[in-house]
C-alpha cells in the first residue's frame, strides 16, 4: 500500500490539472477574457428559440460578451428576460437596438447589439428592450408569411374563382375567334408595312451638267443660289413615280440627298463647270451677293405617258440686290427610260437634268 499510494495521488493530480486547464480554456472562451465586464438586462417580448446561457453577444458583428442568465418573466408569460455580460469598453447605450441573430448553417442563436446614442443614468443597469419579433427565426417568418397568404386566399376565395372563370371564358373566346384575330393581325401588318420584305437601299448620285465651251462672257458680280422652293412631295430621297406607276424594282433606289438639296448642289457644280472663277455660292454662304438665282421645283419624277421617261422641270428667277426681278424662265426636259430599273432611271435623270442645267447656266450668263 505504501508503494502504490504515490501513483494514485500523482494520477489524481494530473487528471485534476487537465480538468482545470480545460475548464480555464472553456471559461476564457465563454467570458471573452479576463477584462472588466458590464452587466445589462435584455427583455424579449416573444420566444427566443435556441438561445442558451453562454451564447455569444455581438456588437456590430463583433463578439463582446455572452449570455449569463436566461429566464421567463414571472408576471408575463410571453416575456423572456436575459442578462448579458459584455466588455466594459463596449459602447452600449440605452437606445441600443437588440435582436436575435442566427449564425452558421445550423442557425446558432446569438444576441446582436447595434448602434445607440443615449447614455444611461449613472449607477443604473439599463434594461435593453429587443425589437418586436427579434426572436423570430427564418423558419418562423416563413410560417407566418404562409399563414398570411393562406388567410388572404381564404378571404378572397370567391373573387379568385370569379377571376379564374373570367380568364377561362376569355381564353375560350380567343380560341373560337383565332381565325378573325389572325386576319386582324395580317391587316395591321399590311397597314404598317411589316409584311413587306426588307429592301437594301442603294444610293445614287445625280450628275451635274458639263462639257461647256469656254465662256465667251463671264458671269458678272457675285451670284448666290439658295435652296429651291418645293412642295412636300419633293422632300424625299426616294425616286418619285407619276400616279398610276408602281415598279417594285425602284424600292431600293435612293438619292444621295433630298431632291431640293441635291438639285441645289448639282446646279452650283454645273456653274462651276462653266466658269469656276466666277462660280456662284450658296445663299447661306454668300456674304453679300449681287444677284440671287431662285429655283422652284416643278417636276422631278418618272412619268409613263406615252412611255417611261425621266422628267425634270423647274422655274428660275434672277433677282437683283434691291429685290427687283431681272429675268424669269421655265426650264423643262425629259429623257427616255428604257426599262423600269434603277440604272436606266438614273441615266434618264442625268440626261434630263444635264439638259436643263446647261440651258440654265447659259441663260443666266447671258442675263448677267
Amino acid at each position: 500500500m505504501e508503494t502504490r499510494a504515490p501513483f494514485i495521488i500523482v494520477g489524481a493530480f494530473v487528471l485534476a490539472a487537465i480538468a482545470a486547464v480545460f475548464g480555464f480554456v472553456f471559461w476564457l472562451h465563454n467570458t471573452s477574457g479576463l477584462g472588466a465586464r458590464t452587466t445589462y438586462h435584455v427583455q424579449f417580448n416573444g420566444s427566443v428559440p435556441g438561445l442558451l446561457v453562454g451564447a455569444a453577444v455581438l456588437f456590430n458583428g463583433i463578439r463582446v460578451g455572452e449570455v449569463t442568465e436566461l429566464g421567463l418573466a414571472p408576471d408575463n408569460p410571453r416575456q423572456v428576460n436575459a442578462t448579458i455580460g459584455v466588455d466594459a469598453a463596449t459602447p452600449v447605450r440605452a437606445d441600443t437596438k437588440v435582436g436575435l441573430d442566427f449564425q452558421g448553417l445550423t442557425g446558432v442563436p446569438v444576441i446582436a447589439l447595434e448602434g445607440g446614442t443615449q447614455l444611461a443614468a449613472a449607477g443604473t443597469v439599463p434594461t435593453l428592450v429587443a425589437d418586436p419579433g427579434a426572436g423570430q427565426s427564418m423558419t418562423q417568418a416563413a410560417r407566418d408569411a404562409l399563414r398570411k397568404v393562406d388567410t388572404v386566399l381564404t378571404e378572397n376565395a370567391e373573387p379568385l374563382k370569379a377571376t379564374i372563370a373570367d380568364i377561362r371564358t376569355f381564353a375560350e373566346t380567343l380560341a373560337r375567334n383565332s381565325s378573325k384575330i389572325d386576319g386582324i393581325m395580317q391587316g395591321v401588318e399590311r397597314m404598317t408595312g411589316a409584311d413587306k420584305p426588307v429592301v437594301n437601299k442603294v444610293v445614287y448620285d445625280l450628275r451635274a451638267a458639263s462639257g461647256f465651251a469656254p465662256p465667251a462672257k463671264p458671269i458678272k458680280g457675285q451670284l448666290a443660289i439658295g435652296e429651291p422652293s418645293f412642295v412636300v412631295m419633293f422632300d424625299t430621297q426616294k425616286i418619285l413615280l407619276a400616279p398610276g406607276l408602281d415598279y417594285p424594282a425602284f424600292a431600293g433606289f435612293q438619292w444621295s440627298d433630298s431632291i431640293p438639296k441635291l438639285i441645289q448642289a448639282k446646279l452650283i457644280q454645273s456653274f462651276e463647270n462653266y466658269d469656276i472663277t466666277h462660280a456662284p455660292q450658296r445663299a447661306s454662304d454668300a456674304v453679300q451677293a449681287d444677284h440671287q438665282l431662285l429655283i422652284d421645283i416643278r417636276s422631278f419624277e418618272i412619268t409613263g405617258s406615252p412611255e417611261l421617261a425621266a422628267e425634270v422641270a423647274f422655274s428660275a428667277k434672277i433677282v437683283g440686290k434691291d429685290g427687283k426681278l431681272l429675268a424669269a424662265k421655265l426650264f423643262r426636259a425629259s429623257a427616255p427610260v428604257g426599262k423600269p430599273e434603277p440604272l436606266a432611271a438614273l441615266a434618264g435623270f442625268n440626261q434630263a437634268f444635264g439638259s436643263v442645267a446647261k440651258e440654265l447656266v447659259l441663260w443666266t450668263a447671258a442675263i448677267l
Side-chain angles (χ1 to χ4, degrees):
M1 292 295 293
E2 294 179 356
T3 304
R4 297 175 57 187
F7 294 102
I8 295 175
I9 295 173
V10 171
F13 176 77
V14 171
L15 291 176
I18 293 173
V21 169
F22 275 104
F24 181 72
V25 172
F26 179 79
W27 177 77
L28 282 179
H29 175 73
N30 287 279
T31 59
S32 301
L34 302 173
R37 318 291 287 173
T38 302
T39 301
Y40 297 94
H41 297 303
V42 179
Q43 178 180 305
F44 291 94
N45 294 313
S47 63
V48 286
L51 186 64
L52 301 173
V53 174
V57 176
L58 307 181
F59 190 92
N60 290 345
I62 301 175
R63 177 166 180 162
V64 294
E66 67 286 329
V67 178
T68 57
E69 293 183 20
L70 193 63
L72 298 173
D75 56 343
N76 189 347
R78 295 182 56 84
Q79 191 177 97
V80 176
N81 294 330
T83 302
I84 60 175
V86 300
D87 184 71
T90 305
V92 178
R93 302 290 186 260
D95 59 342
T96 294
K97 294 182 179 180
V98 183
L100 200 63
D101 198 5
F102 298 88
Q103 295 186 327
L105 295 176
T106 57
V108 177
V110 297
I111 292 180
L113 307 179
E114 182 180 354
T117 57
Q118 299 177 5
L119 295 175
T124 63
V125 179
T127 298
L128 304 176
V129 180
D131 295 333
Q136 189 178 44
S137 64
M138 295 298 294
T139 303
Q140 184 62 37
R143 289 197 190 99
D144 292 343
L146 291 175
R147 190 177 298 111
K148 292 179 181 179
V149 171
D150 183 64
T151 301
V152 171
L153 292 177
T154 302
E155 293 176 351
N156 297 274
E158 292 302 323
L160 285 174
K161 289 180 180 178
T163 302
I164 294 173
D166 292 341
I167 294 175
R168 184 184 298 111
T169 302
F170 180 71
E172 292 173 353
T173 303
L174 287 179
R176 288 195 304 269
N177 296 276
S178 59
S179 59
K180 295 181 180 179
I181 295 175
D182 291 340
I184 293 173
M185 295 305 298
Q186 291 174 3
V188 172
E189 289 180 353
R190 287 193 298 270
M191 182 177 64
T192 59
D195 61 330
K196 297 180 180 179
V198 178
V199 179
N200 294 326
K201 299 293 184 181
V202 180
V203 178
Y204 297 92
D205 195 19
L206 189 65
R207 188 171 61 231
S210 59
F212 293 96
K217 178 185 177 184
I219 298 176
K220 296 180 181 179
Q222 180 62 60
L223 177 65
I225 301 178
E227 183 175 335
S229 58
F230 55 90
V231 294
V232 177
M233 64 175 290
F234 292 112
D235 190 17
T236 180
Q237 290 181 258
K238 297 179 180 179
I239 189 170
L240 297 179
L241 303 177
L245 298 182
D246 184 16
Y247 295 107
F250 291 127
F253 189 106
Q254 180 173 303
W255 291 113
S256 58
D257 206 338
S258 64
I259 292 175
K261 292 182 179 180
L262 183 65
I263 290 177
Q264 180 192 25
K266 297 307 174 180
L267 287 179
I268 293 176
Q269 291 179 15
S270 299
F271 276 94
E272 291 173 347
N273 292 337
Y274 172 74
D275 185 3
I276 188 64
T277 306
H278 303 88
Q281 299 182 12
R282 296 177 186 270
S284 58
D285 298 337
V287 177
Q288 186 175 5
D290 298 309
H291 306 91
Q292 285 197 37
L293 181 61
L294 306 180
I295 304 296
D296 180 64
I297 301 174
R298 301 293 183 87
S299 178
F300 198 86
E301 62 184 7
I302 298 292
T303 61
S305 179
E307 59 183 8
L308 287 182
E311 183 179 78
V312 178
F314 54 79
S315 65
K317 297 178 182 179
I318 300 177
V319 180
K321 185 185 299 185
D322 56 358
K324 183 179 179 180
L325 179 64
L326 302 180
K329 186 177 180 179
L330 180 63
F331 298 86
R332 182 184 298 273
S334 63
V337 175
K339 49 186 176 180
E341 293 180 354
L343 291 179
L346 179 63
F349 276 109
N350 283 334
Q351 182 179 344
F353 179 79
S355 176
V356 293
K358 180 175 290 188
E359 184 181 357
L360 172 67
V361 171
L362 297 176
W363 173 76
T364 304
I367 297 297
L368 300 180

